[in-house]
Amino acid sequence: MTETLTSRTVRSPVETPRLGGLGLFTVLLGAALPLIDFFIVNVALPTIGGDLHASEPVLELVVSGYGLAYAVLLVLGGRLGDLFGRREFFLGGMAAFGVTSLACGLAPNAWTLVAARAAQGAAAAAMLPQVLATIQAATGGQRRAKAMGLYGATAGLSMVAGQILGGVLVAADIAGTGWRSVFLVNVPAVVVGLVLAARAVPETRSQHPEPVDGPGTVLLAVSLLTLLAPLTEGRATGWPLWTWLSLAAFPFAAWAFYAVERRADRQGRTPLVPPSLLALTSLRRGLVMLVPFSIGFSGFMFVIAVALQRGAGLGPVPAGLALTPMAVAFFAVSLCGPRLVARFGTRVVTAGGLVQAAGVALMALAAWRSWPHLGVVELLPGAAVAGAGQALQLPILLRIILSEVPPARAGVGGGVMITTQQSALALGVATLGSLFLSLVSGSGMRDALVTTLLVQLAGIALTVALSLRLPRTIS
């Protein structure tokens, strides 16, 4: 049957929707926006705090409120897209993301901004899982491999570009908007995305829709909240009793979630996160490696933003531009990833980890020798090498994780992967960020930065070891 590029009509089950070039660009735009917004506020936080008279715990909520809502609702967003149609949820999620971004940009006070950021995270959770699910369901063969490579490159580049863009926008003070422009910039991007999506993104859904797993959804939310909420807010609030009670409850909540999901799977019902998915070697081992990689990535981005602004005395633009070599190297090297994998297999990921370790070591050396005169020139060699190493890992790792997931469960598989990644990103800010800030008062900014980078090196060593267990080829 002839494939069609449009998707305004509902296809019969035997037709195969096709994601064209414009459609792929559109869904990748939808993938970039939530990741950019996770990092774009890092360099804007000092300005936000001064303008809205926000305390440090409230500023932490500006970051963590978005991340928590995002992580908690991602798997549910993927399941609902499978059930009701991924294109419709992509459009709805993108529209909601634009509205909530506008609310963030117009927030009159800090608590309104916190609420708007949480709503923005929920909108992102509706939109982002549909990206991977659409790619899985509407591409195949080499087209899918190329699309997944571009998705991975977009994800990594968005994380770095978000921090750079945040610094530029805050300093530009467009029409007197100051920090508000880091949110308002999403609005025109969303309008363009909605127009393109309506024309070029095909409708896909599971041929056997699965109902929402209510108990699993609640228990997953409880599990993530009991872990992430105290870790993200604990240091800023002085570790009150609720943080310790929450952390103590986490193992029980996680066990209850797994028990409920396993029982549903054995009884023939469809759990939110089917344990049978974890039987896929590529998905299971890829997720295990994704956790320390993402923790190190986000922890580094947060720490370097704080160190360059508070310690080295750089403004938002120099602090953001200091990571430009990392972004440029990531983009350039990620384009070579598919060819390298075709020739050398997934050992490219191992090589990428070693390259990244060399880059982080160079940045630690630069911080030790040049402090407090640390900027783009001093960080350039290490940042470029680290960016190249990250580009040899993240895009390929995301391809590996989803390589064996059947199209019918594309939304669930994508949701599980992104939830794992997002939770780890939040953990990175909470753990490495808290370590760095706690060391500053006793050791000084330079020693705190160098120590945190050395801890990240230990995490990279773990990812290198885990990469040796990945399948040698991508199916």
Side-chain angles (χ1 to χ4, degrees):
M1 181 171 290
T2 303
E3 292 182 344
T4 177
L5 290 175
T6 67
S7 60
R8 294 182 181 278
T9 58
V10 178
R11 293 179 172 84
S12 63
V14 296
E15 289 182 314
T16 303
R18 181 176 182 272
L19 184 66
L22 184 60
L24 178 60
F25 170 82
T26 305
V27 295
L28 290 180
L29 174 64
L33 289 174
L35 290 170
I36 287 173
D37 262 58
F38 185 85
F39 291 93
I40 201 169
V41 299
N42 281 348
V43 293
L45 284 176
T47 310
I48 294 172
D51 186 35
L52 299 182
H53 309 289
S55 64
E56 187 176 352
V58 176
L59 289 177
E60 291 273 359
L61 283 174
V62 172
V63 178
S64 62
Y66 177 85
L68 286 172
Y70 190 11
V72 164
L73 297 173
L74 272 166
V75 177
L76 178 61
R79 172 61 59 84
L80 292 174
D82 286 350
L83 184 62
F84 297 110
R86 294 156 186 152
R87 176 177 176 269
E88 298 305 316
F89 254 76
F90 179 79
L91 285 166
M94 179 171 276
F97 191 83
V99 171
T100 52
S101 295
L102 181 63
C104 289
L106 299 178
N109 54 61
W111 285 108
T112 303
L113 178 60
V114 169
R117 280 285 282 174
Q120 190 186 33
M127 173 173 61
L128 189 55
Q130 318 316 326
V131 174
L132 285 170
T134 299
I135 290 174
Q136 289 287 96
T139 61
Q142 284 301 112
R143 284 180 56 81
R144 179 182 295 173
K146 180 180 179 181
M148 284 301 302
L150 288 172
Y151 173 85
T154 299
L157 190 60
S158 297
M159 297 179 198
V160 182
Q163 202 140 311
I164 297 172
L165 181 62
V168 171
L169 288 173
V170 170
D173 193 21
I174 301 170
T177 55
W179 61 266
R180 298 178 187 275
S181 61
V182 304
F183 303 114
L184 297 176
V185 71
N186 292 330
V187 177
V190 164
V191 171
V192 171
L194 289 172
V195 172
L196 295 178
R199 294 174 58 87
V201 176
E203 179 65 282
T204 64
R205 69 183 71 198
S206 174
Q207 296 299 327
H208 304 286
E210 299 163 340
V212 173
D213 173 16
T217 300
V218 172
L219 286 171
L220 176 62
V222 171
S223 299
L224 291 175
L225 285 171
T226 53
L227 175 65
L228 296 178
L231 288 178
T232 54
E233 286 297 301
R235 187 200 61 82
T237 56
W239 297 102
L241 179 61
W242 73 264
T243 60
W244 298 109
L245 293 177
S246 181
L247 287 171
F250 167 70
F252 299 99
W255 178 86
F257 171 69
Y258 177 74
V260 166
E261 299 297 273
R262 182 178 59 181
R263 184 169 65 249
D265 217 11
R266 289 177 174 176
Q267 293 176 350
R269 294 183 282 114
T270 305
L272 184 70
V273 180
S276 55
L277 271 183
L278 299 179
L280 301 175
T281 302
S282 57
L283 183 138
R284 184 178 66 254
R285 293 182 179 178
L287 289 178
V288 170
M289 181 183 165
L290 184 63
V291 170
F293 178 88
S294 299
I295 287 174
F297 199 123
S298 65
F300 166 79
M301 297 295 285
F302 175 80
V303 166
I304 200 69
V306 174
L308 291 178
Q309 290 189 91
R310 295 185 187 175
L314 299 184
V317 172
L321 293 181
L323 297 178
T324 302
M326 179 178 287
V328 172
F330 190 103
F331 177 74
V333 175
S334 65
L335 298 177
C336 306
R339 291 193 297 272
L340 291 173
V341 171
R343 183 173 181 181
F344 300 108
T346 60
R347 287 298 175 261
V348 172
V349 178
T350 305
L354 296 174
V355 172
Q356 183 191 4
V360 172
L362 286 173
M363 286 190 284
L365 181 62
W368 178 262
R369 296 176 59 182
S370 303
W371 191 264
H373 306 293
L374 194 64
V376 64
V377 174
E378 292 77 16
L379 290 174
L380 191 153
V385 172
Q390 290 165 344
L392 293 175
Q393 296 175 84
L394 184 61
I396 300 166
L397 183 58
L398 299 185
R399 278 183 59 193
I400 292 170
I401 291 171
L402 294 180
S403 60
E404 296 179 325
V405 176
R409 286 188 163 177
V412 176
V416 170
M417 184 186 77
I418 302 169
T419 297
T420 302
Q421 181 187 32
Q422 182 62 36
S423 300
L425 290 175
L427 277 173
V429 175
T431 54
L432 290 180
S434 294
L435 171 66
F436 170 73
L437 293 173
S438 64
L439 290 173
V440 167
S441 58
S443 304
M445 191 72 73
R446 184 195 70 170
D447 290 354
L449 175 59
V450 172
T451 301
T452 306
L453 290 175
L454 293 178
V455 172
Q456 187 189 356
L457 271 176
I460 295 172
L462 176 60
T463 64
V464 169
L466 291 172
S467 72
L468 297 174
R469 291 179 50 79
L470 295 174
R472 292 299 298 269
T473 58
I474 303 177
S475 60

